[in-house]
Amino acid sequence: MADDIPFDKNLALTPDTVDEVAPGVRRVMANNPGPFTFKGTMSYIVGRGKVAIIDPGPDDPAHVAALLDAVRSETVTHIFVTHTHRDHSPATPAVKHATGAIVYAEGPHRAARPLHIGEHNPLDSSGDRDFVPDVRLKDGDVVKGDGWTIEAVATPGHTANHMAYALKEQNLLFAGDHVMGWATSIVAPPDGAMSDYMASLQKLAKRGEELYLPGHGPAIRDAKRFVNYYILHRKAREASILHRLGKSESDIPSIVRAIYIGIDPRLTGAAGMSTLAHLEDLVARGLVETDGAPSIEGTYRLAA
Ligand SMILES: [Zn+2]
């Protein structure tokens, strides 16, 4: 089912080298490949001379050194962070320390909802809880630099504090982990929330930037069409879950086995969390029932 989205898994990029991806936009990929990061996290450099860095990346001295080397004869005035996963924000203090740049983001790491009684957060280790921006951005805030203008586009869902950034001069969006060119984004409760995620996708579909530069993977050149594929994909996932529950009540492992055919075994945990995210949303909308709060161990049935 994932192949209904026109993913592009070609990315010939050497880690920690500079590459101009769009006019006036450079990228440096961290050397942190993996099942969730593809070939690595992308740090972007916006402008020339007085520049902004978007997502300094993981806590990796080699990546920080490569990023600083890329802007060696320039001044970094701004750092923007899309969200506080450990592959995106932990290098921020080192880059700030070296450059004196001001750090902009939506806010510190937080969950999309409080924990239920007895629930532990399986995502605890993936969040960068030390991150604090200098300036907190709200949706629609505009930050002007030397030759570039960035608009904050609140896109909660992957995390509660996820911000995409529109580069106004170029009809281009730094999409973070909200939309990626190589795979679907992970939405895992309690840090992520499917209702927020879907609303953020609909919002991006209406905006209509043509080029997305994501946190992982290649640039997305036909972004409007791509976002619509993403929306259809999620709706199809939801329909599959409802179809499965139409046969009998079920738990999450059984639903995952039924609807994620041929999944990378390293991703079954994430698929379970993503299914939980859909089920939370379906329970909130009154379409599905469970006993107590929706949980990863719960049994789910269609609402009577
Ligand atoms: Zn992320």
Side-chain angles (χ1 to χ4, degrees), residues 83-88 158-159 162 177 186 216:
H83 67 297
T84 44
H85 278 152
R86 292 205 151 273
D87 53 328
H88 289 261
H158 174 72
T159 60
H162 195 285
D177 282 6
I186 287 171
H216 307 271

Side-chain angles (χ1 to χ4, degrees), residues 26 45-52 71 73-77 146 148:
R26 288 163 281 170
I45 302 164
V46 183
R48 281 280 173 193
K50 290 182 181 166
V51 305
V71 295
S73 53
E74 300 169 282
T75 307
V76 182
T77 54
D146 186 6
W148 52 261

Side-chain angles (χ1 to χ4, degrees), residues 57-105:
D59 180 16
D60 169 8
H63 183 61
V64 170
L67 207 44
L68 293 175
D69 190 48
V71 295
R72 188 165 59 237
S73 53
E74 300 169 282
T75 307
V76 182
T77 54
H78 300 66
I79 296 169
F80 294 91
V81 170
T82 60
H83 67 297
T84 44
H85 278 152
R86 292 205 151 273
D87 53 328
H88 289 261
S89 56
T92 303
V95 176
K96 179 183 168 63
H97 181 76
T99 62
I102 309 288
V103 179
Y104 296 76

